[in-house]
Amino acid sequence: MRIDELIRQAARRLAEAGIATADLDARLLFQHLTSLSASEVVLRGTDPADEQVMAAYRRLVDERAGRVPLHYLTGTREFWSMDFLVSPAVLIPRPETEFLLELALAACRTDGPVRRGLDLCTGSGVIAVVLARELGCAVTAVDISPAALAVARENVSRHGVTDRVDLVCGDLFAPLGSHRPFDLIVSNPPYVADDQLDGLEPEVSRAEPRLALAGGPDGLEVIGRLAAAAAYHLRPGGWLFSEIGADQGMAVLQLFQAHAAQYDRIRVIDDWAGRPRVLQARRRPAP
Protein backbone atom coordinates (compact mmCIF):
# COMPACT_ATOMS: atom_id res chain seq x y z
CA MET A 1 0.00 0.00 0.00
CA ARG A 2 1.19 3.52 -0.82
CA ILE A 3 1.92 5.95 2.01
CA ASP A 4 -0.80 8.38 0.95
CA GLU A 5 -3.35 5.54 0.77
CA LEU A 6 -2.33 4.31 4.21
CA ILE A 7 -2.83 7.78 5.70
CA ARG A 8 -6.21 8.22 3.97
CA GLN A 9 -7.30 4.84 5.32
CA ALA A 10 -6.25 5.92 8.82
CA ALA A 11 -8.11 9.21 8.49
CA ARG A 12 -11.31 7.34 7.60
CA ARG A 13 -10.82 5.12 10.65
CA LEU A 14 -10.44 8.13 12.91
CA ALA A 15 -13.40 9.95 11.36
CA GLU A 16 -15.58 6.91 11.99
CA ALA A 17 -14.47 7.05 15.63
CA GLY A 18 -15.85 10.60 15.87
CA ILE A 19 -12.56 12.51 15.81
CA ALA A 20 -13.10 15.91 14.23
CA THR A 21 -9.43 16.37 13.33
CA ALA A 22 -9.13 12.93 11.68
CA ASP A 23 -7.13 14.03 8.62
CA LEU A 24 -4.65 16.07 10.65
CA ASP A 25 -4.25 13.43 13.35
CA ALA A 26 -3.65 10.69 10.78
CA ARG A 27 -0.85 12.72 9.19
CA LEU A 28 0.71 13.77 12.49
CA LEU A 29 0.79 10.21 13.77
CA PHE A 30 2.58 9.11 10.60
CA GLN A 31 5.06 11.98 10.91
CA HIS A 32 5.69 11.07 14.54
CA LEU A 33 6.33 7.44 13.71
CA THR A 34 8.60 8.09 10.73
CA SER A 35 10.19 11.42 11.74
CA LEU A 36 9.23 12.80 8.32
CA SER A 37 8.19 16.41 7.89
CA ALA A 38 4.79 17.32 6.44
CA SER A 39 6.36 18.15 3.07
CA GLU A 40 8.30 14.89 3.03
CA VAL A 41 5.11 12.93 3.63
CA VAL A 42 3.56 14.63 0.60
CA LEU A 43 6.61 14.12 -1.61
CA ARG A 44 6.87 10.46 -0.69
CA GLY A 45 3.13 9.81 -0.80
CA THR A 46 3.30 7.42 -3.75
CA ASP A 47 6.10 5.35 -2.18
CA PRO A 48 5.10 1.94 -0.81
CA ALA A 49 4.74 1.85 2.96
CA ASP A 50 7.17 -0.39 4.81
CA GLU A 51 5.40 -3.39 6.36
CA GLN A 52 6.78 -2.78 9.85
CA VAL A 53 5.93 0.90 9.69
CA MET A 54 2.44 0.03 8.49
CA ALA A 55 1.84 -2.34 11.40
CA ALA A 56 3.14 0.13 14.00
CA TYR A 57 1.15 2.97 12.43
CA ARG A 58 -2.08 1.01 12.53
CA ARG A 59 -1.54 0.29 16.21
CA LEU A 60 -1.15 4.02 16.87
CA VAL A 61 -4.27 4.78 14.85
CA ASP A 62 -6.22 2.17 16.82
CA GLU A 63 -5.18 3.84 20.05
CA ARG A 64 -6.21 7.27 18.74
CA ALA A 65 -9.54 5.80 17.57
CA GLY A 66 -9.97 4.60 21.15
CA ARG A 67 -9.75 8.31 22.12
CA VAL A 68 -6.25 8.29 23.54
CA PRO A 69 -5.19 11.92 23.10
CA LEU A 70 -2.94 12.60 20.13
CA HIS A 71 -0.31 14.29 22.29
CA TYR A 72 -0.02 11.35 24.66
CA LEU A 73 0.73 9.20 21.62
CA THR A 74 3.35 11.58 20.23
CA GLY A 75 4.67 12.48 23.69
CA THR A 76 4.94 16.21 22.98
CA ARG A 77 2.82 19.32 22.78
CA GLU A 78 3.72 22.73 21.37
CA PHE A 79 3.14 25.55 23.85
CA TRP A 80 4.47 29.12 23.71
CA SER A 81 6.27 28.11 20.47
CA MET A 82 8.24 25.45 22.34
CA ASP A 83 7.90 21.67 22.42
CA PHE A 84 7.06 20.23 25.83
CA LEU A 85 7.05 16.60 26.87
CA VAL A 86 3.67 15.29 28.06
CA SER A 87 2.42 11.99 29.45
CA PRO A 88 -0.80 10.70 31.05
CA ALA A 89 0.60 12.02 34.36
CA VAL A 90 -0.10 15.63 33.28
CA LEU A 91 -2.75 17.69 31.57
CA ILE A 92 -2.04 18.49 27.94
CA PRO A 93 -1.26 22.24 27.78
CA ARG A 94 -3.99 24.29 26.12
CA PRO A 95 -4.29 27.72 24.49
CA GLU A 96 -6.28 28.99 27.49
CA THR A 97 -3.15 28.68 29.60
CA GLU A 98 -1.17 30.71 27.06
CA PHE A 99 -3.84 33.41 27.52
CA LEU A 100 -3.34 33.19 31.30
CA LEU A 101 0.40 33.70 30.85
CA GLU A 102 -0.03 36.61 28.46
CA LEU A 103 -2.05 38.47 31.10
CA ALA A 104 0.39 37.67 33.90
CA LEU A 105 3.40 38.80 31.87
CA ALA A 106 1.67 42.00 30.77
CA ALA A 107 0.90 42.93 34.38
CA CYS A 108 4.47 42.26 35.48
CA ARG A 109 5.95 44.33 32.67
CA THR A 110 3.75 47.23 33.72
CA ASP A 111 4.28 46.98 37.48
CA GLY A 112 8.00 46.31 37.60
CA PRO A 113 10.50 43.45 37.82
CA VAL A 114 9.59 40.01 39.17
CA ARG A 115 12.33 38.36 41.17
CA ARG A 116 10.40 35.41 42.58
CA GLY A 117 7.43 33.66 41.00
CA LEU A 118 5.27 30.77 42.16
CA ASP A 119 3.55 28.26 39.86
CA LEU A 120 0.93 26.27 41.74
CA CYS A 121 -0.32 22.97 40.25
CA THR A 122 2.55 23.05 37.77
CA GLY A 123 1.76 19.76 35.97
CA SER A 124 4.06 19.55 32.94
CA GLY A 125 5.86 22.70 34.07
CA VAL A 126 4.90 24.90 31.13
CA ILE A 127 3.97 27.90 33.27
CA ALA A 128 7.17 27.70 35.31
CA VAL A 129 9.34 27.38 32.20
CA VAL A 130 7.69 30.33 30.44
CA LEU A 131 7.92 32.57 33.53
CA ALA A 132 11.58 31.71 34.04
CA ARG A 133 12.45 32.32 30.39
CA GLU A 134 10.34 35.45 29.83
CA LEU A 135 10.99 37.19 33.14
CA GLY A 136 14.40 35.78 34.00
CA CYS A 137 13.17 35.22 37.54
CA ALA A 138 13.44 32.38 40.04
CA VAL A 139 10.30 30.21 40.04
CA THR A 140 9.05 27.75 42.63
CA ALA A 141 6.81 25.17 40.94
CA VAL A 142 4.55 23.08 43.17
CA ASP A 143 2.49 19.98 42.38
CA ILE A 144 0.94 17.31 44.56
CA SER A 145 1.78 14.57 42.04
CA PRO A 146 5.33 13.14 42.01
CA ALA A 147 4.64 11.70 38.55
CA ALA A 148 3.70 15.14 37.23
CA LEU A 149 6.83 16.66 38.75
CA ALA A 150 8.95 14.04 36.96
CA VAL A 151 7.56 15.34 33.64
CA ALA A 152 8.05 18.94 34.74
CA ARG A 153 11.66 18.18 35.65
CA GLU A 154 12.34 16.91 32.13
CA ASN A 155 10.78 20.03 30.62
CA VAL A 156 12.70 22.37 32.91
CA SER A 157 15.93 20.69 31.81
CA ARG A 158 14.85 20.55 28.16
CA HIS A 159 14.35 24.33 28.07
CA GLY A 160 17.45 25.31 30.00
CA VAL A 161 15.98 26.78 33.18
CA THR A 162 17.13 24.22 35.76
CA ASP A 163 19.03 26.95 37.59
CA ARG A 164 15.91 29.10 37.92
CA VAL A 165 13.09 26.63 38.63
CA ASP A 166 12.74 24.82 41.95
CA LEU A 167 10.31 21.88 41.78
CA VAL A 168 8.49 21.09 45.01
CA CYS A 169 6.08 18.25 45.81
CA GLY A 170 3.11 19.13 47.98
CA ASP A 171 -0.39 20.53 48.28
CA LEU A 172 -0.55 24.17 47.20
CA PHE A 173 1.17 26.38 49.79
CA ALA A 174 1.79 23.62 52.36
CA PRO A 175 5.38 22.74 51.32
CA LEU A 176 6.58 26.34 51.10
CA GLY A 177 7.38 26.72 54.79
CA SER A 178 8.96 30.05 55.61
CA HIS A 179 9.62 31.13 52.02
CA ARG A 180 9.80 34.86 51.48
CA PRO A 181 6.74 36.36 49.77
CA PHE A 182 6.47 36.04 46.01
CA ASP A 183 6.11 38.85 43.49
CA LEU A 184 3.79 36.76 41.30
CA ILE A 185 1.63 33.64 41.67
CA VAL A 186 0.24 31.91 38.57
CA SER A 187 -1.91 28.80 38.70
CA ASN A 188 -3.91 26.49 36.48
CA PRO A 189 -5.69 24.61 39.29
CA PRO A 190 -8.26 21.81 39.09
CA TYR A 191 -11.60 23.55 38.44
CA VAL A 192 -14.00 21.02 36.93
CA ALA A 193 -17.00 20.16 39.12
CA ASP A 194 -16.95 16.50 40.10
CA ASP A 195 -20.31 15.74 38.50
CA GLN A 196 -19.16 17.25 35.19
CA LEU A 197 -16.05 15.11 34.75
CA ASP A 198 -17.72 12.20 33.00
CA GLY A 199 -19.41 14.56 30.55
CA LEU A 200 -16.14 15.88 29.18
CA GLU A 201 -14.73 14.71 25.85
CA PRO A 202 -13.46 11.12 26.08
CA GLU A 203 -9.87 12.26 25.57
CA VAL A 204 -10.20 14.27 28.78
CA SER A 205 -12.51 12.18 30.94
CA ARG A 206 -10.81 8.85 30.20
CA ALA A 207 -7.19 9.84 29.72
CA GLU A 208 -6.17 13.02 31.52
CA PRO A 209 -5.36 12.85 35.26
CA ARG A 210 -8.41 13.43 37.44
CA LEU A 211 -6.20 14.84 40.15
CA ALA A 212 -5.45 17.78 37.84
CA LEU A 213 -9.10 18.21 36.79
CA ALA A 214 -11.41 17.59 39.73
CA GLY A 215 -12.18 20.77 41.66
CA GLY A 216 -14.69 19.38 44.13
CA PRO A 217 -18.50 19.47 44.12
CA ASP A 218 -18.71 22.94 42.53
CA GLY A 219 -15.26 23.05 40.92
CA LEU A 220 -14.17 25.83 43.27
CA GLU A 221 -12.46 23.91 46.05
CA VAL A 222 -8.88 24.74 45.06
CA ILE A 223 -9.70 28.23 43.79
CA GLY A 224 -11.35 28.97 47.13
CA ARG A 225 -8.17 27.93 48.90
CA LEU A 226 -6.18 30.25 46.63
CA ALA A 227 -8.48 33.13 47.54
CA ALA A 228 -8.04 32.48 51.24
CA ALA A 229 -4.28 31.96 51.32
CA ALA A 230 -2.53 33.55 48.32
CA ALA A 231 -2.31 37.05 49.82
CA TYR A 232 -0.17 35.72 52.67
CA HIS A 233 2.37 34.46 50.14
CA LEU A 234 2.48 37.62 48.00
CA ARG A 235 4.49 40.72 48.68
CA PRO A 236 2.39 43.90 48.92
CA GLY A 237 1.51 44.81 45.34
CA GLY A 238 2.19 41.28 44.11
CA TRP A 239 -0.12 39.68 41.55
CA LEU A 240 -2.14 36.46 41.44
CA PHE A 241 -3.45 35.05 38.16
CA SER A 242 -5.50 31.86 38.03
CA GLU A 243 -7.22 30.03 35.20
CA ILE A 244 -10.91 29.32 35.92
CA GLY A 245 -13.82 27.52 34.31
CA ALA A 246 -15.88 29.33 31.70
CA ASP A 247 -19.00 29.17 33.90
CA GLN A 248 -17.31 30.28 37.13
CA GLY A 249 -16.74 34.00 36.64
CA MET A 250 -19.29 35.36 39.12
CA ALA A 251 -18.64 32.70 41.74
CA VAL A 252 -14.88 33.28 41.62
CA LEU A 253 -15.33 37.04 41.91
CA GLN A 254 -17.42 36.51 45.03
CA LEU A 255 -14.75 34.25 46.53
CA PHE A 256 -12.08 36.91 46.13
CA GLN A 257 -14.31 39.83 47.04
CA ALA A 258 -14.89 38.11 50.36
CA HIS A 259 -11.18 38.77 50.98
CA ALA A 260 -11.23 42.36 49.75
CA ALA A 261 -9.23 43.50 52.77
CA GLN A 262 -6.26 41.62 51.30
CA TYR A 263 -6.81 42.15 47.54
CA ASP A 264 -7.53 44.95 45.11
CA ARG A 265 -7.84 45.00 41.30
CA ILE A 266 -9.98 41.88 41.49
CA ARG A 267 -11.25 41.05 38.02
CA VAL A 268 -12.33 38.15 35.84
CA ILE A 269 -11.04 38.49 32.27
CA ASP A 270 -12.69 36.93 29.21
CA ASP A 271 -10.59 34.85 26.84
CA TRP A 272 -10.34 35.25 23.04
CA ALA A 273 -13.70 33.47 22.65
CA GLY A 274 -15.43 35.83 25.07
CA ARG A 275 -15.64 33.32 27.94
CA PRO A 276 -14.63 34.08 31.54
CA ARG A 277 -11.19 32.49 31.82
CA VAL A 278 -8.74 34.22 34.16
CA LEU A 279 -9.00 35.62 37.68
CA GLN A 280 -6.60 38.42 38.50
CA ALA A 281 -6.10 39.91 41.94
CA ARG A 282 -3.37 41.99 43.51
CA ARG A 283 -2.32 41.99 47.15
CA ARG A 284 -3.05 45.45 48.42
CA PRO A 285 0.09 47.61 48.52
CA ALA A 286 1.39 48.68 51.90
CA PRO A 287 -0.17 51.96 53.13
Side-chain angles (χ1 to χ4, degrees), residues 16 64 69 80-81 83 94 154 179 200 217-218 222 236 243 273 278:
E16 289 166 0
R64 183 68 187 101
W80 211 260
S81 299
D83 281 334
R94 292 167 167 80
E154 289 189 70
H179 279 220
L200 300 174
D218 58 3
V222 178
E243 190 170 325
V278 172

Side-chain angles (χ1 to χ4, degrees), residues 25-58:
D25 286 16
R27 178 175 58 78
L28 290 175
L29 286 173
F30 192 82
Q31 288 179 230
H32 165 68
L33 184 64
T34 61
S35 299
L36 295 174
S37 68
S39 59
E40 287 172 329
V41 170
V42 173
L43 290 172
R44 296 178 56 178
T46 58
D47 292 354
D50 176 88
E51 290 292 333
Q52 287 186 323
V53 169
M54 191 182 307
Y57 180 61
R58 283 173 171 160

Side-chain angles (χ1 to χ4, degrees), residues 79-237:
F79 183 90
W80 211 260
S81 299
M82 295 182 280
D83 281 334
F84 285 87
L85 301 176
V86 295
S87 82
V90 300
L91 292 180
I92 296 168
R94 292 167 167 80
E96 291 87 350
T97 305
E98 291 191 332
F99 179 70
L100 166 73
L101 277 164
E102 286 182 0
L103 295 174
L105 293 172
C108 293
R109 287 164 180 156
T110 299
D111 276 17
V114 172
R115 295 178 178 84
R116 302 181 68 247
L118 175 62
D119 170 18
L120 292 174
C121 310
T122 192
S124 61
V126 295
I127 290 175
V129 168
V130 172
L131 292 179
R133 286 173 62 97
E134 294 286 338
L135 298 175
C137 64
V139 181
T140 301
V142 180
D143 203 285
I144 199 170
S145 166
L149 285 173
V151 177
R153 187 167 292 107
E154 289 189 70
N155 283 320
V156 166
S157 175
R158 183 184 182 95
H159 294 292
V161 290
T162 305
D163 60 332
R164 277 171 275 164
V165 177
D166 182 25
L167 297 164
V168 180
C169 189
D171 184 14
L172 294 182
F173 300 103
L176 297 180
S178 58
H179 279 220
R180 291 180 290 112
F182 294 92
D183 303 301
L184 172 69
I185 298 174
V186 183
S187 182
N188 180 14
Y191 57 73
V192 181
D194 292 345
D195 63 1
Q196 295 177 359
L197 287 168
D198 291 335
L200 300 174
E201 291 184 353
E203 286 86 347
V204 179
S205 64
R206 297 179 196 167
E208 296 201 73
R210 292 216 163 196
L211 187 62
L213 292 166
D218 58 3
L220 297 172
E221 182 178 304
V222 178
I223 294 173
R225 292 171 61 196
L226 289 177
Y232 300 102
H233 296 272
L234 283 168
R235 66 162 172 80

